[in-house]
Amino acid sequence: MISPEQAAEARSLAEHGRTATAVLREREWLDAAQLAALEEEEAREEFARPSTVRASAMPPEAEAVAADRSRNLDEFVLTTLLGRGGAGDVWKAWDRGLDRWVAVKISTASLESSSARERFQREAVAAARLAHPNIVPVYRIGVEHGCPFLVMPFIDGRTLHDQRPPSRNALEVMHTVALAVDHAHQQGIIHRDLKPNNIMVDRGGGVFVLDFGLAYLREESSSRLSRPGDLLGTASYMAPEQAVGDRVSSEAAVDIYGLGATLYYLVTGRPPFVGESFAAVVARVVAAQPPSPRSLDPGIDRSLETVILKALEKDPARRYVTAAAFADDLRRLLDHREIAARPTGALGRLRRAAKRRPAVAALTAALVLVLFLAAVPLMRARSGRQAAGEALHVLTIRSLEVALRLRRIGDTAGMREVMPQLLRAYANMTQADEHAAASPRVQYMMGRVYRALLDDKTSLAFQERALAADPDFAGALYERAVLRSRRYGVALARAMSERLDGDGPPGVEAAERAHPSLAREREQILADCTRLQTMSMGPAWAEAARGILEYHHRHLDEARTRLERALALDPSIEEAWEALGRTEAAAGHVDKAEAVFTRALELDRGYVPHLIGRCEVRTSFANAIADATAALAIDTRANGARMCRGQALVRQAYDLMMAGTDPLALLGRAEDDVNQVIRREQRPGAYSWRGTLRLYRGTFRARRGQDPTADFAASDADYGKALALEPRHEGHWNGRGRTRSSLAAYLMERGGDPSVAFAGAESDFTEATKSGSGATSAWMWRGDLRGRRGLHALRAGKPASGFFKNAEEDFARGPSHDDPWFRMLRGTMRIWRGRAVAESGGDPGPVWSSADEDLGIPIATFPGFVDPLIRRGLLHVEWGLHLRRTRSNRAAAELAAAAADLDSALSLEPANVEAMAARARLMP
C-alpha cells in the first residue's frame, strides 16, 4: 500500500514514541478505510495466534524474538540467519506447529519474479522426488508477503566450505555425495551447482547435499531456467560447457565436473580456477587447464590427482561416465586398490585440444599453442601456419562465445575483460607470422569481435580481408552484408535529408539517382544476400541479412516479414532484433518498437543498440533516461545513448517550463551530454539539439524577466554550425528561425529594435519552406513570425494588414488544423489581426471568435500548460477593452474572463512576466 521509503520513514518516526498508525494517518499515505481494514486484520491475527503458540514448548532462542513481527513467517519463528545467497536467505527457525527446529529458505526476489518463482518450485519438485538419506528433503513450500519460501530439516553442522576434513575423510564424504548425486541422476535430475557450500556434514558425521534450486529436470527441457545461453552455477565450480551455455550443460557430466571441482578444493584448499572477477574465472574455466593438484601440494597421491583431473576434463565425454563410476574410483582409493582412470600427459592434452571442436575448445590452451608455434622457427612452414591459424581461430571462437554469454546475462564488465586478452593474442600472432594471422577464419572471427565491441568500421575491414582470401566464406559474407547495410542506411538517411533543386527532400530512388554510389552499394549487398541463400549457413541468417537491408531501404513491410522469419528460426540474432525494432519505429508503431526492444533485452541484457533503440521510442522521459544511462554504464563511448539521454532531458525540461517549473538544472544536464557528443564527433543533430536547449533556456529566462540574449546568440550559432554540415536540413532552418523570432519578440517587448532578428527569422523560415511537402511546420512558424511582425507594425502605428494576410496564407499551408500547437499559434496571430481590424474601424468580433475557438483546443489538450491560458487571457483583454471603448455592456464579462484565465496562469507560473503584464492592463 505504501512505498519502501514511506515504510522506512514510518518505522523511524514510530521508534521515537509515535504509533505507525498515527504516522500513516497524518501523512495521508493511507485513507481511513485502509487503516480500518489493516487494524481489523491485525486484530484477527492476534486473536488466532494463542491457539498455535505453545510458549512452554518454545526454546528460549525462539521465544526471545517471537514478539518481533519481522521474525514471524507463517507458523515459523526465524531465529538465526544461517546463510545468504543469490536465490535467497536461509534461517534457522522454530516450527510452532510441530515443535521442532527447521531451516527456512526465503526468496530474496518477489513472487512477481517468474525466475525466482520457478527456481523455488523447481527445488521443491526436485527434492520431493529424491527420497535419499543424503539429500536434504523439502517439508513444504509456501508464500508469505509475496515471497516464496521452502521449509527443510535443520542440519546442525557445517558446509565443506567452512571445514576441510582430512584427506581420507574427504574421500569418504565425496564417495557418499557421489552416490547421492547418482541417485538424483537416475531420477532424471541434474543438480548443476555442486560446490563445497552445497554439501553439509552434521555433528554426527552425516553428509547431506543441499540446494537443488538450479536443478535440471529432463522432462522440462524447454524451461527458461535451462535455456541454452544461460550462465547458471558458481563460476569456480562450473563446467566449461555450462560456462558457455551449451545445451549439453543439462547432462550428468556437469555434476561430475562439480564433484571433481569440490574434491579439488578439499585436497588443495582452493577451487580449480580463481580470478579477480566472475568474467576472469569463466574465461579460465573455458580456456585453461587447472593447476595440477600436486603442483599445489606435492604430498597429494598421484592416483587421487588422476581421479580429480579425469572428473575435470574439458570434454564432457572424457569425464567419468556416471557419478557412480566416480564413486567407484574413490572407493578404490580408500581400499588402496588400483583406480580405473589413467593419467593424461601434457602432449596428450595439447593433441586433444588441437582436435577438439570449437564448442568445447579451450581459450588458454589455444593461446599457449599460438605462442608455442610462434616461437618455433619452422612455424613459417605451411603446416605450422595452418596450426597457428587454427589455434588462433579456436581462441577467437571461445573468447567471443564467453564474451557474448557474459554480455547476454548483463555482465558487460566481464565481457570487456575477455576481449583485450584476445586482441593481445591476435597482435602477438600477427607479429610472429602475418600469414597465419591472415587466415580467413581468423579474420572473420576478429571482425565478429569488433562488431561485438560496436566498432563497425574495423569489423568491416576484417570481413573484407576474410572474403579477399576466401570469397565463399559464408560467415564473412553475412557480416559484410549486415555492416554494409548499416553504412548504406546512414548514407541514405543523409541523402534523403537533402533538397534537390529546391523541390523538397528526395525519396529513396531519387536519392540513389543523385548519389550513384548508394545504388551500387545496395546492389552489392543484394548480391551478398542472394549468395547467402544458397550456402549452408542457414536460412535465418540469409533472411536477417536481407531484412536488415530492406529496413535501410525503407521497405518496411518486407523488412518486418523477413526479420520476424529470421528471429522465429534463431532468436539469438541481435542485429535482427535491432532492425525489427527500428522498422516498427520507422512505421510509426512506437509501442510495438518498444516491445521488440524489451524482448530483445530479455535475451541480451548488455547489447547497447537495444538500449539505445528503446530509449529513442519510449514516451516516458524517466524510462528513456534510464535506458540511456544503462547503455552508458556499459559503454561510455556510446554517443547514441548520450544523445538520446540529452534529448529526453531537453523534452522533460520543456514540459517543466511549460508547467511553470524551473527547467535550468535539466537543461544543464542535457547540455553536458550533448557537449560530450560534440567533442567526439561533429554531428549536425547534436549542434541542432544544443541550439534547441539553449533556445529553451533563453525562452525561460525571458518568461521570468531575465535577459536571454546570450542564450539566443549561442543557440543561433549552434544552428549555424548544424547548417554548415547539413545546409539543406529543414529542422536546422526552422530552429534558427524560431530562435531569431524569439529574440525579436523579446526586443519588441523591451522597446528594442527587432528588425534584424525579424528579417533573419523570415529568411530562415522561407528556406525551410523549400523542403516541399515535409515543410508544413515551416509554414506554421513563418505564419507565427508574420503575426508578430504585424503586432510590431501596429504598435509603431504602421500598416499591419499585409503581415496578417500573409500570415493567414502561411497557416493555410501548415500542418493539420486539428494540431493543438497550430491552433495556439494561429489563435495568437488572430488576436493581433482582430486588433488591427478594430483600429481600422471594422468589427473584430468574427476574427476574435475564431481566435477563441483556436485557443480552446490547446487549453483542453494541455490542461497544465500556461501559454494557451495566457494567450486566451490576452484575447479577452483586447476584446474587453475594445468593448469598454464602444460602451458595450459585454465589456465587464470579457474582462472578467480575462482575469480568470490570467489568474489561472499565474497560479501555475507566478513569475511569468507576460501574464503579469496582461493582468496589469485590467487595472482601472
Side-chain angles (χ1 to χ4, degrees), residues 859-883:
I859 287 173
T861 307
F862 308 127
F865 186 14
V866 298
D867 282 28
L869 281 170
I870 294 172
R871 295 175 189 210
R872 193 172 69 179
L874 283 169
L875 168 64
H876 289 306
V877 168
E878 292 290 341
W879 207 339
L881 293 177
H882 170 73
L883 292 172

Side-chain angles (χ1 to χ4, degrees), residues 341-605:
R342 291 291 176 265
T344 302
L347 290 177
R349 287 195 295 273
L350 279 175
R351 184 169 57 252
R352 191 177 302 155
K355 292 180 179 179
R356 197 174 301 138
R357 292 181 59 81
V360 291
L363 279 169
T364 299
L367 179 56
V368 169
L369 183 59
V370 171
L371 299 178
F372 173 75
L373 290 171
V376 177
L378 294 179
M379 178 180 170
R380 296 187 180 277
R382 183 172 181 274
S383 60
R385 289 199 302 270
Q386 286 179 333
E390 175 68 21
L392 186 57
H393 175 62
V394 168
L395 177 63
T396 55
I397 289 175
R398 304 317 290 152
S399 289
L400 186 62
E401 284 184 352
V402 170
L404 291 179
R405 299 299 182 193
L406 291 168
R407 188 188 75 190
R408 286 167 184 160
I409 66 169
D411 187 359
T412 51
M415 181 189 79
R416 288 195 295 270
E417 290 180 23
V418 172
M419 291 304 196
Q421 301 172 27
L422 173 59
L423 299 181
R424 285 194 296 270
Y426 176 75
N428 293 337
M429 180 66 181
T430 302
Q431 292 177 1
D433 192 318
E434 292 183 3
H435 294 288
S439 75
R441 288 199 297 172
V442 169
Q443 295 293 304
Y444 159 71
M445 288 304 301
M446 290 303 297
R448 284 287 291 116
V449 167
Y450 275 101
R451 184 157 75 82
L453 292 171
L454 306 178
D455 185 346
D456 284 3
K457 184 177 180 181
T458 304
S459 177
L460 181 58
F462 272 105
Q463 301 306 342
E464 295 284 14
R465 288 197 289 269
L467 288 165
D470 182 358
D472 294 322
F473 198 120
L477 204 62
Y478 170 78
E479 289 292 314
R480 185 173 72 177
V482 169
L483 293 164
R484 279 181 168 179
S485 291
R486 289 178 174 175
R487 185 173 69 182
Y488 168 82
V490 171
L492 180 64
R494 186 177 299 119
M496 290 177 66
S497 72
E498 298 176 353
R499 294 198 309 275
L500 304 178
D501 301 324
D503 293 332
V508 174
E509 290 73 15
E512 288 187 345
R513 284 196 300 271
H515 299 275
S517 61
L518 278 174
R520 288 195 297 271
E521 176 109 89
R522 182 169 56 83
E523 291 301 323
Q524 290 170 349
I525 299 167
L526 279 172
D528 284 350
C529 292
T530 302
R531 290 181 62 205
L532 277 169
Q533 291 173 336
T534 66
M535 293 182 171
S536 59
M537 193 168 183
W541 300 92
E543 290 286 0
R546 183 62 182 272
I548 292 168
L549 173 62
E550 297 296 353
Y551 156 67
H552 287 299
H553 198 226
R554 305 298 195 274
H555 294 164
L556 302 183
D557 290 339
E558 178 72 10
R560 183 185 298 107
T561 299
R562 289 184 178 275
L563 292 167
E564 287 177 345
R565 194 180 299 155
L567 291 168
L569 294 168
D570 187 346
S572 70
I573 308 176
E574 64 266 19
E575 58 271 17
W577 284 108
E578 179 188 359
L580 180 59
R582 295 195 175 279
T583 296
E584 296 292 4
H589 306 149
V590 292
D591 289 343
K592 288 183 179 179
E594 183 175 350
V596 168
F597 285 122
T598 298
R599 174 63 180 139
L601 285 164
E602 290 173 358
L603 298 171
D604 194 334
R605 287 182 282 175

